[in-house]
Amino acid sequence: MSSIALIFDVIFSCLITLTFLYRCGNYRRQHPITTGAVFISWSFSVLFIFLLPLDISLAAYRECQSQNISTISTTTISPDNLNLSNTIEKSCPRPWSYVNPRSYEVLWRIIYWTSQCLTWFILPFMQSICQTGEFYWKGKIRFALRSNLIYYGTLLLIFGILVIYVAVNYNLSASNFKVTVIAASTTWGLFLLVLMLGYGLVEVPLNVYNHSRTSYVLSHIQFNLSKLYNEKIDIEERLESLVEDISKLCLQIKYNDSLRPCLEEIVRIIPEQYSNRVKLTMDDYEDYRATTTTNNLIDLPTEKQLIKLHGLIKKSKHIHHRVQASWVQMINQAFYLEDILNNENNSNRSFVKQSPLPRSWLRQKLFDEHPVLEWYTFCFLRPWALRFLGVGLGIISLVVIWSEMTFFSTSPVLSIFARIVNVARHHYDYFTIEIFCCLSLAYLCLCAYYTIFRMRIFNYFYLSLYHLTDENSLIFAATFLCRLTAPLSYNFLGMIHMDQVITKKTDRQETVFTTIMGRMSVIPMISRGFNFYFPMLICLLCVGTYFRFGSRCLHIFGVRQFFDDDYVSAEYVEDGKNLMKKERRNLGGIDNVTTMANTTTATQRRDRRKELEEKYGLRSTSANNKSKLPSDDLEEIISESRQLKASSSSSDEPLIMNNNNHNQRVPSNAPTALGSSRRVAPPTNIFNDI
């Protein structure tokens, strides 16, 4: 009976991880090794939430036992007072979830050290493999080792300095060496945790409360629609230029060339909208090859240049797919929010659907025949429920901030979390301890992980819940989760005064998790310095997040952020409204009609560029944010002028690009993939100048 709680927690953690991994990733496109590593990392991070409360209740029970044993030891046990010892034993009931402490010890060792190996060694190596455009495993591994050389060298340098410091000032034994390793990892994780919580503790309740304001949420989505459509134009122009370059490669690399398999791999991953053009060019080349001589006066690309092109087309394809799918999800949400806003002042309290898109199957089942129920659900109950939930979460965030700033005070006990746990422990209410600690840890993890899911580092890292997250972003998130979970648990134990370094009471029983990690008192500078005072910065970070200092700084440097009272934001919102009107006209209430989610034409992209330049004074998203490209040196593949050698004009073999069937060029005034106008050069070799 007692092991059921532990088994249930493990199974429930795996189910939660599977749900999020299914929503974020796409197991059909991911490598099985990537899926397995991310699943282990995420599941261990979630398991901390459920396993640590059981460990805390076990520590409270063991403390009660030790106190009873000390009481019995002062009394001479005889048949006359044997009932007394039984009475003392009954005064300390066993928790319903009791499991042998050795089981927790084995489990904690597996979870902690596996997570550390994943976050510091395995996942960074896998992430480098996902980023490269190498065609073969040997090249991928070589690139991963080379790219991580500086990373691992820096880690070894910092760790070496720390070990020397401990050896000089303290006794460096085997146990102290292990604690030094754990202290270094925990300190870095605590630094990240404070930054994440400083953002999440404010944004989570604020975001929940703002969702009760339908007009605000709709304006925010319209703002994002405008940015997303600009990104869509950019990536399609980039793909147009890449496909044009690949078409030239299909004509230049012969069928018996050693680079032909690499070219075929590049052609294989071209998006479906552009693949027909490249395949036709390859077919034409087969006919052309039979009528040409074998002399080749064109400089062919090297394997290194094909690797760069392969990485760029792979990343661009994923961004293009994500942007298209995100547009469908966002426009559907915008139309439904617009319906809610229009129905809020409906006097007959009946929901009238005006969205041209069909509803989800669940809303069809619930509300198609009950428009009054739909009005009360979305126009009355939903706003008030979100307001109350937002205020409640805001109060919890204030309690967390207060406890983080006062957890070092043990007399009097100022931490609210510590007071609640102490009261439950004195009454031997282990179930209350487990539920309270589980909910508290879940909220702390929600705030910290929310920051990770909201983080977007250009197009390098982006998490989405609609099967649109690439392998690189999944591994990046798994790395952060593994680094944050153990420091978060250590910090929570400090808030509830279950750490002897904080309480300074050696008779207080500690958790099995603390015994596995070891006491940080080996390095006083960390245990009584950094770990004590750095969490206090959460208060300053929360104040900065509430007043949006970070967003305002990004806004000043040209990274567009949504503000209620900003002129540029209002322009973007107005542009989003116009895009919604165009999409509504395109849909027209008829299924299977061309929408703005499909690939745009060159004329549409040129008109969009002109509109941005004339109305908003903007050139393009890619022009303003060139760092969105996965690699800066890959821009040369698209943007450089590429000329044939002068000697090629005297060749007996006709120039490939002089064939009219393969010389379809864009107009000289058409925008390029980087958003700037340039005159297209005559038929050229794309890698001649690189």
Side-chain angles (χ1 to χ4, degrees):
M1 178 65 183
S2 58
S3 61
I4 293 178
L6 180 60
I7 297 173
F8 174 79
D9 289 344
V10 174
I11 296 175
F12 190 61
S13 301
C14 293
L15 291 177
I16 293 176
T17 305
L18 284 174
T19 302
F20 275 95
L21 189 57
Y22 172 76
R23 290 294 306 275
C24 291
N26 190 331
Y27 66 91
R28 295 184 181 89
R29 300 179 180 176
Q30 296 165 193
H31 197 282
I33 297 179
T34 301
T35 304
V38 172
F39 173 77
I40 293 173
S41 304
W42 288 20
S43 59
F44 281 0
S45 299
V46 175
L47 188 57
F48 267 88
I49 302 174
F50 302 101
L51 191 59
L52 189 62
L54 302 182
D55 197 0
I56 293 172
S57 66
L58 178 63
Y61 171 68
R62 293 168 63 192
E63 182 178 350
C64 178
Q65 272 190 326
S66 63
Q67 291 176 354
N68 286 340
I69 291 174
S70 61
T71 302
I72 294 173
S73 62
T74 58
T75 305
T76 303
I77 300 178
S78 63
D80 297 333
N81 58 11
L82 184 60
N83 293 332
L84 176 62
S85 60
N86 293 334
T87 303
I88 295 175
E89 289 293 335
K90 290 180 181 179
S91 65
C92 187
R94 175 176 290 188
W96 71 283
S97 59
Y98 176 82
V99 178
N100 192 312
R102 289 190 175 182
S103 301
Y104 285 107
E105 184 176 348
V106 173
L107 195 57
W108 277 127
R109 289 186 187 278
I110 294 174
I111 293 174
Y112 181 77
W113 290 112
T114 303
S115 299
Q116 294 302 305
C117 290
L118 285 169
T119 189
W120 293 109
F121 301 105
I122 299 177
L123 292 179
F125 187 80
M126 293 177 61
Q127 191 174 4
S128 298
I129 291 179
C130 293
Q131 292 171 1
T132 181
E134 292 278 356
F135 297 97
Y136 306 106
W137 276 104
K138 182 179 179 180
K140 292 181 179 181
I141 294 174
R142 184 172 60 248
F143 174 83
L145 291 174
R146 186 171 59 250
S147 61
N148 283 282
L149 186 62
I150 299 177
Y151 171 75
Y152 290 125
T154 305
L155 286 181
L156 288 176
L157 178 62
I158 296 174
F159 181 70
I161 294 174
L162 187 61
V163 169
I164 294 174
Y165 171 79
V166 174
V168 171
N169 295 277
Y170 311 100
N171 183 22
L172 185 62
S173 59
S175 59
N176 288 348
F177 180 80
K178 185 193 75 170
V179 173
T180 303
V181 174
I182 296 175
S185 176
T186 304
T187 302
W188 173 243
L190 187 62
F191 174 79
L192 296 176
L193 177 66
V194 170
L195 299 180
M196 299 293 180
L197 287 179
Y199 178 83
L201 287 172
V202 175
E203 280 297 317
V204 169
L206 198 60
N207 193 33
V208 171
Y209 185 85
N210 285 335
H211 270 73
S212 66
R213 302 159 55 193
T214 307
S215 59
Y216 174 86
V217 179
L218 180 59
S219 298
H220 198 182
I221 290 180
Q222 290 167 343
F223 175 86
N224 290 330
L225 275 174
S226 178
K227 292 179 63 177
L228 186 65
Y229 192 70
N230 294 340
E231 185 179 358
K232 182 174 179 290
I233 296 295
D234 291 336
I235 194 61
E236 287 174 357
E237 289 181 346
R238 205 174 300 165
L239 280 171
E240 284 280 354
S241 180
L242 286 171
V243 170
E244 182 183 350
D245 294 339
I246 295 172
S247 300
K248 298 174 187 177
L249 286 177
C250 294
L251 298 174
Q252 296 173 8
I253 299 178
K254 295 187 176 183
Y255 76 102
N256 58 351
D257 195 293
S258 60
L259 297 179
R260 187 71 179 195
C262 300
L263 177 62
E264 291 175 355
E265 175 63 22
I266 293 175
V267 172
R268 188 183 63 83
I269 65 173
I270 291 177
E272 185 179 356
Q273 299 90 325
Y274 304 92
S275 59
N276 292 335
R277 187 189 318 172
V278 177
K279 287 180 180 178
L280 288 174
T281 305
M282 293 180 70
D283 294 339
D284 292 343
Y285 170 70
E286 295 297 332
D287 296 335
Y288 173 79
R289 179 178 53 82
T291 60
T292 57
T293 62
T294 58
N295 295 328
N296 182 22
L297 299 179
I298 300 176
D299 285 348
L300 294 178
T302 63
E303 183 179 0
K304 182 178 180 181
Q305 293 160 343
L306 283 181
I307 288 171
K308 293 180 179 180
L309 183 61
H310 180 230
L312 183 57
I313 191 68
K314 183 170 64 172
K315 187 65 177 179
S316 300
K317 176 185 176 181
H318 174 76
I319 297 173
H320 181 252
H321 174 67
R322 175 179 59 78
V323 168
Q324 283 189 318
S326 298
W327 176 269
V328 174
Q329 298 291 339
M330 198 176 294
I331 199 69
N332 193 358
Q333 188 179 5
F335 281 144
Y336 200 75
L337 285 172
E338 191 176 45
D339 283 353
I340 294 176
L341 189 63
N342 294 333
N343 282 276
E344 282 183 350
N345 298 324
N346 198 343
S347 58
N348 60 2
R349 299 184 178 180
S350 178
F351 198 92
V352 179
K353 179 181 178 296
Q354 299 174 346
S355 173
L357 296 173
R359 298 178 177 180
S360 64
W361 67 271
L362 181 60
R363 286 176 177 172
Q364 290 178 3
K365 294 290 185 182
L366 294 176
F367 303 123
D368 270 359
E369 298 179 0
H370 305 88
V372 177
L373 176 62
E374 185 174 11
W375 187 92
Y376 274 101
T377 301
F378 291 100
C379 299
F380 181 75
L381 294 178
R382 176 181 171 275
W384 282 105
L386 290 174
R387 290 189 188 102
F388 283 120
L389 181 60
V391 172
L393 294 178
I395 294 173
I396 296 175
S397 293
L398 291 175
V399 172
V400 171
I401 295 171
W402 172 261
S403 299
E404 288 282 4
M405 296 181 64
T406 59
F407 73 90
F408 59 87
S409 176
T410 57
S411 181
V413 177
L414 299 179
S415 173
I416 298 177
F417 284 90
R419 282 188 171 275
I420 295 175
V421 172
N422 288 337
V423 170
R425 185 170 55 191
H426 292 157
H427 290 84
Y428 310 111
D429 193 351
Y430 304 115
F431 183 76
T432 301
I433 293 176
E434 293 170 6
I435 295 298
F436 174 76
C437 292
C438 184
L439 293 178
S440 302
L441 276 170
Y443 184 71
L444 290 174
C445 290
L446 172 65
C447 294
Y449 299 168
Y450 173 84
T451 307
I452 298 176
F453 275 80
R454 285 292 300 271
M455 187 188 304
R456 179 177 179 182
I457 306 175
F458 300 112
N459 283 318
Y460 171 78
F461 172 74
Y462 184 87
L463 283 175
S464 175
L465 294 177
Y466 300 104
H467 313 288
L468 303 175
T469 308
D470 61 352
E471 292 181 331
N472 177 54
S473 299
L474 289 174
I475 296 174
F476 188 84
T479 304
F480 262 79
L481 292 183
C482 288
R483 291 180 186 176
L484 287 177
T485 310
L488 188 146
S489 302
Y490 177 77
N491 179 255
F492 180 75
L493 291 174
M495 283 200 299
I496 62 174
H497 291 179
M498 294 288 288
D499 188 356
Q500 290 184 3
V501 177
I502 295 174
T503 59
K504 300 178 182 179
K505 296 180 180 178
T506 57
D507 59 337
R508 177 68 63 88
Q509 280 289 335
E510 293 184 322
T511 61
V512 180
F513 173 77
T514 306
T515 59
I516 295 300
M517 291 188 64
R519 294 184 178 89
M520 302 296 176
S521 56
V522 175
I523 309 177
M525 180 180 66
I526 294 178
S527 61
R528 298 182 182 179
F530 183 85
N531 295 344
F532 262 61
Y533 301 108
F534 188 74
M536 297 182 186
L537 291 178
I538 288 181
C539 181
L540 296 178
L541 293 172
C542 288
V543 172
T545 303
Y546 181 79
F547 290 103
R548 305 190 65 182
F549 289 155
S551 297
R552 296 182 189 278
C553 291
L554 291 175
H555 191 66
I556 292 173
F557 287 105
V559 181
R560 302 302 175 191
Q561 302 291 316
F562 178 71
F563 292 96
D564 291 337
D565 54 350
D566 182 66
Y567 172 75
V568 177
S569 298
E571 293 286 348
Y572 271 86
V573 171
E574 189 64 29
D575 183 55
K577 292 179 182 179
N578 295 332
L579 292 174
M580 288 180 62
K581 293 177 182 178
K582 293 179 182 179
E583 186 75 336
R584 189 183 292 274
R585 288 195 300 267
N586 290 337
L587 291 169
I590 303 175
D591 294 333
N592 300 324
V593 72
T594 302
T595 68
M596 298 174 69
N598 298 329
T599 304
T600 57
T601 63
T603 303
Q604 290 174 326
R605 292 193 291 270
R606 185 170 60 250
D607 293 341
R608 179 65 176 178
R609 292 287 183 222
K610 186 176 179 180
E611 180 184 358
L612 290 176
E613 292 176 3
E614 293 179 354
K615 189 173 182 180
Y616 305 112
L618 303 173
R619 290 181 59 193
S620 68
T621 306
S622 59
N624 293 331
N625 301 298
K626 291 183 180 179
S627 57
K628 288 186 178 181
L629 287 174
S631 178
D632 293 338
D633 54 63
L634 295 178
E635 294 180 8
E636 296 177 0
I637 300 176
I638 303 175
S639 60
E640 281 193 353
S641 299
R642 298 164 298 218
Q643 302 290 339
L644 289 173
K645 283 186 176 180
S647 60
S648 63
S649 60
S650 61
S651 172
D652 296 331
E653 182 182 5
L655 293 176
I656 289 176
M657 297 309 297
N658 283 340
N659 190 336
N660 293 331
N661 294 332
H662 308 292
N663 196 23
Q664 300 296 328
R665 308 296 296 182
V666 296
S668 60
N669 59 347
T672 67
L674 296 179
S676 60
S677 296
R678 63 171 174 85
R679 190 170 186 84
V680 179
T684 59
N685 177 13
I686 61 175
F687 294 108
N688 192 48
D689 294 329
I690 299 178

